[in-house]
Amino acid sequence: VGKVTLFKTTMRSHGRVTGYSPHADLGWGKVAEQGVETHVINCAHIDVVKEPFVQQLSQHIQNCVDQIHNELAAVPNGRFAKV
């Protein structure tokens, strides 16, 4: 796997704060050869699909898509080199 984009929340259901563990990437760093990009939404896991948090999530996703689009546009012939 190349790069992993991880979206996580700051709280689990029932208001328990998840905090940041030594494994903040939830184990994805072991398989992500190009690293893990983490985006944190300040809400409970179950609320991430509700307003206003879903707007934050959608903005993070849009930013990721835009970044990929810009990186792809900068590559000759619109292709990434194989690693």
Side-chain angles (χ1 to χ4, degrees), residues 60-73:
H60 283 295
I61 293 170
Q62 185 62 57
N63 291 343
C64 291
V65 170
D66 291 344
Q67 179 181 352
I68 291 168
H69 177 77
N70 292 336
E71 290 172 2
L72 186 57

Side-chain angles (χ1 to χ4, degrees), residues 11-47:
M11 290 183 270
R12 295 184 187 147
S13 298
H14 310 295
R16 296 184 316 200
V17 175
T18 59
Y20 293 95
S21 72
H23 305 288
D25 65 7
L26 303 179
W28 284 105
K30 295 176 185 174
V31 295
E33 296 168 358
Q34 296 177 1
V36 179
E37 179 180 335
T38 303
H39 300 269
V40 179
I41 310 296
N42 190 20
C43 66
H45 181 82
I46 197 166
D47 293 331

